[in-house]
């Protein structure tokens, strides 16, 4: 059994995140990594390792520590990888990629591995799966689906801590412009179209 498979099994046993950041999310990010990596000059082993461990620590969105989830994941990933066959330099590349991947950190990854992880994770936040994950988190946090008086934020200030639909405008619809790689930009455009079509249909129904 190779190292990546061993890590995958370890992550599957350890991860206890909410449904939007569970093992299914980890596997989808790995799938996205493989698709993007086909078009980039990158060490696939390192970026897949980063993908497996990028949410090894994930605090609920209502938790004040939520914004440091990626930093805590990076710290834990370092401790885990020191027990596997990775060099110090490889561990540093993986840890940096994990630390910088988070949207809330508002950083552009420094390495190609980090850029690909960032893109792969952000792709899973949009499209059909992104819609499902958004409402999963909203339900877990007991948030109303939308603000009844101004559902689509025409005149009020966005507040995605209170209303789930606000998250489309706070984050999801701007991710397309934040992609690093050519493949991810193309895929993000397709998935963003799905988000916009959903909002159009939602407007009709409410």
């Amino acid at each position: 059994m190779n190292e990546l498979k061993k890590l995958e099994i370890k992550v599957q046993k350890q991860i206890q995140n909410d449904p939007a950041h569970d093992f299914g999310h980890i596997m989808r990010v790995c799938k996205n990594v493989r698709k993007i990596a086909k078009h980039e000059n990158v060490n696939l082993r390192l970026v897949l390792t980063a993908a497996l461990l990028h949410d090894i620590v994930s605090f609920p969105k209502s938790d004040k520590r939520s914004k440091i989830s990626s930093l805590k994941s990076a710290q834990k990933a370092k401790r885990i990888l020191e027990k596997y066959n990775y060099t110090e330099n490889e561990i540093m590349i993986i840890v940096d990629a994990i630390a910088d991947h988070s949207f809330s950190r508002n950083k552009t990854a420094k390495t190609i591995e980090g850029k690909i992880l960032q893109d792969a994770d952000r792709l899973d936040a949009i499209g059909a799966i992104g819609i499902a994950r958004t409402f999963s988190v909203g339900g877990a946090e007991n948030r109303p689906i939308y603000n009844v008086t101004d559902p689509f934020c025409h005149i009020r200030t966005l507040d995605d801590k209170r209303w789930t639909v606000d998250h489309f405008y706070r984050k999801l619809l701007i991710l397309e412009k934040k992609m690093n790689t050519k493949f991810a930009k193309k895929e993000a455009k397709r998935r963003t179209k799905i988000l916009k079509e959903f909002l159009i249909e939602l407007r009709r129904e409410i």
Side-chain angles (χ1 to χ4, degrees), residues 108-172:
T108 300
K110 297 180 284 288
T111 63
I112 185 60
E113 288 83 7
K115 286 179 169 67
I116 290 174
L117 174 63
Q118 212 167 45
D119 284 358
D121 185 55
R122 289 174 177 180
L123 283 175
D124 201 54
I126 53 181
I129 193 64
I131 294 170
R133 291 179 69 213
T134 297
F135 287 103
S136 174
V137 171
E141 299 292 339
N142 201 31
R143 293 177 194 142
I145 295 173
Y146 57 88
N147 177 292
V148 175
T149 56
D150 185 11
F152 304 100
C153 314
H154 292 308
I155 58 174
R156 62 182 175 82
T157 302
L158 287 171
D159 189 353
D160 61 351
K161 295 289 190 295
R162 293 185 65 188
W163 296 288
T164 300
V165 167
D166 286 31
H167 194 60
F168 284 74
Y169 300 97
R170 172 72 69 189
K171 177 183 177 181
L172 307 190

Side-chain angles (χ1 to χ4, degrees), residues 90-109:
E90 287 174 335
I91 291 175
M92 184 172 68
I93 290 170
I94 294 164
V95 167
D96 282 350
I98 293 171
D100 290 342
H101 87 273
S102 171
F103 177 81
S104 60
R105 289 263 290 155
N106 196 28
K107 286 196 169 186
T108 300

Side-chain angles (χ1 to χ4, degrees), residues 33-135:
V33 161
R34 291 183 186 278
K35 289 180 177 179
I36 298 168
K38 288 179 181 179
H39 307 275
E40 302 292 334
N41 182 18
V42 66
N43 186 321
L44 182 59
R45 172 173 168 263
L46 298 189
V47 72
L48 280 173
T49 301
L52 285 170
L53 296 170
H54 81 280
D55 274 346
I56 196 69
V57 177
S58 181
F59 298 111
K61 294 302 179 183
S62 56
D63 193 310
K64 290 180 180 178
R65 298 171 295 172
S66 176
K67 289 186 177 181
I68 62 168
S69 290
S70 63
L71 296 177
K72 291 295 184 182
S73 289
Q75 292 169 4
K76 187 169 182 178
K78 186 175 187 296
R79 294 194 297 272
I80 291 170
L81 293 175
E82 285 169 349
K83 299 175 183 178
Y84 288 78
N85 189 29
Y86 291 84
T87 67
E88 281 188 30
N89 185 58
E90 287 174 335
I91 291 175
M92 184 172 68
I93 290 170
I94 294 164
V95 167
D96 282 350
I98 293 171
D100 290 342
H101 87 273
S102 171
F103 177 81
S104 60
R105 289 263 290 155
N106 196 28
K107 286 196 169 186
T108 300
K110 297 180 284 288
T111 63
I112 185 60
E113 288 83 7
K115 286 179 169 67
I116 290 174
L117 174 63
Q118 212 167 45
D119 284 358
D121 185 55
R122 289 174 177 180
L123 283 175
D124 201 54
I126 53 181
I129 193 64
I131 294 170
R133 291 179 69 213
T134 297
F135 287 103

